[in-house]
Amino acid sequence: MAAAAVGIGTRLARNYLHALHEKPLLTNVATGCSLGFLGDVVCQVAVEKRVAADFDFKRCFAMTTFGAAYQGGICYMLYSYYRRILPVWAMKTPLREGLGSTFIDNFVHVPLLYTPVFFWLTGALRGFEQDEISKQMNGKYVESVKACWVMWVPLQMGNFSMVPPHLRVAVMQTGCLAWNVILGYLANAPF
């Protein structure tokens, strides 16, 4: 039984790596979609203890769409640029590349692009008015960015320092399963 499970896992991993090689954007978007959906379902059912009648389908749709479009699509395209904009000295060792890319990702990308897009896109997809989205973002922005730094600075340091570039989005997306639960909770908790 265990050998069969290992064999299935090995085949799935091999097929996933093949898909990442052959169709990287599509594979990353599909992964982001799946993890956005799963993260919000876990958040609503396991963390928030919602019953089926109280499940927020608009929120789940918004989180799934954000996972697909941003975490899967935009991050796939954006991560390849980090190596291009780092100074030459930062590319001399994997550790320096990791530090530089982690800095760009967490202290430029996240506060200036990722977090505002998250609140605006998910809010709009849920049917919120512009003033509601602004109020939610203003009330949750600092908390969301700080939580991001706690989780993502160490994870991305390892990711950008040790993981081959073609697998970085996949590693980030694995972390996104946990992050989507955290972000879904933070963004939807009362303030």
Side-chain angles (χ1 to χ4, degrees):
M1 178 91 158
V6 170
I8 291 170
T10 301
R11 280 194 303 280
L12 285 173
R14 190 178 322 119
N15 289 340
Y16 184 76
L17 289 173
H18 178 74
L20 271 178
H21 178 71
E22 293 297 317
K23 296 185 186 234
L25 179 60
L26 180 62
T27 304
N28 281 300
V29 168
T31 303
C33 179
S34 302
L35 295 176
F37 173 79
L38 186 58
D40 193 59
V41 168
V42 168
C43 184
Q44 289 195 53
V45 174
V47 177
E48 297 171 3
K49 308 288 189 217
R50 290 180 185 237
V51 294
D54 295 329
F55 191 83
D56 187 342
F57 288 96
K58 281 186 178 180
R59 171 180 148 183
C60 189
F61 173 74
M63 292 294 289
T64 301
T65 302
F66 181 77
Y70 201 97
Q71 293 169 336
I74 291 173
C75 286
Y76 166 73
M77 293 181 279
L78 191 62
Y79 282 8
S80 66
Y81 288 106
Y82 291 177
R83 301 182 91 213
R84 296 179 194 164
I85 62 174
L86 286 172
V88 173
W89 66 266
M91 296 301 295
K92 291 194 183 274
T93 69
L95 180 61
R96 286 183 184 180
E97 180 186 352
L99 284 168
S101 295
T102 298
F103 180 84
I104 293 167
D105 197 54
N106 286 281
F107 299 104
V108 178
H109 170 226
V110 166
L112 299 179
L113 190 60
Y114 179 92
T115 303
V117 169
F118 169 79
F119 282 105
W120 283 100
L121 180 62
T122 60
L125 289 172
R126 294 172 70 186
F128 293 171
E129 297 293 326
Q130 203 171 11
D131 61 327
E132 290 177 280
I133 296 170
S134 292
K135 183 179 176 186
Q136 184 187 30
M137 188 170 92
N138 291 337
K140 299 291 183 171
Y141 177 84
V142 171
E143 182 182 17
S144 297
V145 170
K146 285 181 181 178
C148 180
W149 291 340
V150 168
M151 178 177 165
W152 288 105
V153 168
L155 193 143
Q156 291 293 53
M157 183 60 199
N159 189 19
F160 288 121
S161 296
M162 296 182 272
V163 176
H166 70 284
L167 295 176
R168 289 179 181 166
V169 175
V171 169
M172 178 272 300
Q173 298 228 42
T174 303
C176 279
L177 179 56
W179 177 242
N180 289 337
V181 174
I182 294 165
L183 191 57
Y185 180 76
L186 288 175
N188 294 286
F191 55 94

